[in-house]
């Protein structure tokens, strides 16, 4: 009889231990939640970086397209006007590239780039300037180093109509060292592409 009581006691005690071990502890549960949050955060960062890269590439292609359109428009005259906005010309001729949007009403419509600010295209005699406003530092550096199609690149807060299109800024080849010196990491950049 005493053997039977001992066996029953052991079985009951083992069953209690099994019941306790079936669920997660609070620490295990919190560890799983923390690991999931880290993974989700990493996915969001990767998606954001991919979107920024795509926007940068589109904007780079679009400013080259603007340059080609504007150069083609003056093939016969050799002039782009003096201090004249060419935005409305691009809009009316249907030459606004893909990633740019148009806001406002004619004749004061504005071109907007994917980084939520404006693009200004200004004629400066026999040259023209494409100005991108409020460009983030990392995007500025990428656009700067990929600006081979442009005679000069200037990063400053100067208004497009006030810049010297024949001096200042950088000329090709546009290097990473030049981009680092020209582009602000903490403040939005105003970039002028001159042809």
């Amino acid at each position: 009889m005493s053997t039977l009581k001992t066996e029953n006691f052991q079985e009951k005690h083992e069953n209690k231990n099994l019941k306790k071990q079936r669920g997660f502890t609070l620490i295990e549960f919190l560890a799983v939640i923390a690991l999931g949050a880290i993974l989700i955060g990493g996915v969001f960062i990767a998606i954001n970086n991919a979107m920024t890269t795509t926007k940068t590439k589109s904007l780079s292609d679009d400013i080259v397209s603007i340059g080609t359109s504007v150069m083609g428009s003056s093939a016969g005259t050799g002039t782009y006007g003096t201090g004249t906005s060419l935005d409305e010309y691009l809009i009316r001729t249907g030459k606004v590239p893909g990633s740019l949007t148009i806001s406002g009403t004619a004749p004061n419509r504005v071109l907007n780039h994917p980084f939520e600010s404006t693009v200004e295209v200004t004629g400066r005699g026999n040259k023209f300037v494409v100005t991108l406003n409020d460009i983030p530092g990392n995007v500025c550096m990428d656009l700067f180093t990929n600006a081979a199609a442009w005679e000069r690149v200037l990063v400053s807060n100067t208004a497009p109509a006030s810049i010297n299109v024949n001096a200042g800024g950088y000329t090709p080849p546009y290097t990473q060292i030049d981009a680092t010196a020209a582009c602000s990491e903490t403040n939005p950049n105003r970039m002028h592409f001159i042809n």
Side-chain angles (χ1 to χ4, degrees):
M1 183 82 149
S2 96
T3 310
L4 187 59
K5 282 185 178 180
T6 306
E7 286 176 6
N8 284 340
F9 176 76
Q10 285 176 343
E11 281 179 23
K12 284 180 184 179
H13 191 63
E14 285 174 6
N15 286 338
K16 283 184 182 179
N17 285 340
L18 286 176
K19 285 180 184 178
K20 286 182 183 178
Q21 292 177 355
R22 283 187 191 154
F24 286 109
T25 65
L26 180 59
I27 292 173
E28 290 170 332
F29 177 71
L30 292 175
V32 168
I33 296 296
L35 183 60
I38 290 170
L39 291 173
I40 289 170
V43 167
F44 282 134
I45 290 169
I47 289 171
N48 187 38
N49 288 343
M51 288 173 56
T52 298
T53 300
T54 301
K55 286 181 190 177
T56 303
K57 176 70 173 122
S58 292
L59 186 54
S60 181
D61 292 345
D62 288 349
I63 60 173
V64 169
S65 179
I66 287 172
T68 303
S69 295
V70 171
M71 282 190 288
S73 73
S74 74
T77 64
T79 185
Y80 303 102
T82 304
T84 307
S85 172
L86 300 173
D87 294 355
E88 193 65 31
Y89 164 78
L90 292 168
I91 294 167
R92 287 184 185 187
T93 57
K95 295 181 179 177
V96 176
S99 75
L100 303 183
T101 59
I102 302 166
S103 61
T105 56
N108 300 313
R109 293 184 279 192
V110 178
L111 301 176
N112 303 289
H113 61 70
F115 294 97
E116 301 178 7
S117 194
T118 58
V119 177
E120 301 170 59
V121 185
T122 310
R124 297 293 306 277
N126 64 345
K127 297 195 182 290
F128 65 93
V129 180
V130 177
T131 301
L132 305 177
N133 295 300
D134 301 325
I135 298 294
N138 61 326
V139 175
C140 177
M141 293 178 70
D142 285 342
L143 291 172
F144 190 100
T145 54
N146 292 307
W150 299 92
E151 286 180 20
R152 186 175 302 280
V153 176
L154 175 65
V155 180
S156 76
N157 285 324
T158 308
S162 303
I163 64 171
N164 183 344
V165 294
N166 297 308
Y170 296 86
T171 56
Y174 303 111
T175 66
Q176 290 88 350
I177 292 168
D178 293 338
T180 302
C183 297
S184 171
E185 185 177 352
T186 55
N187 298 317
N189 296 277
R190 177 182 270 180
M191 300 184 75
H192 307 281
F193 297 86
I194 304 164
N195 250 354

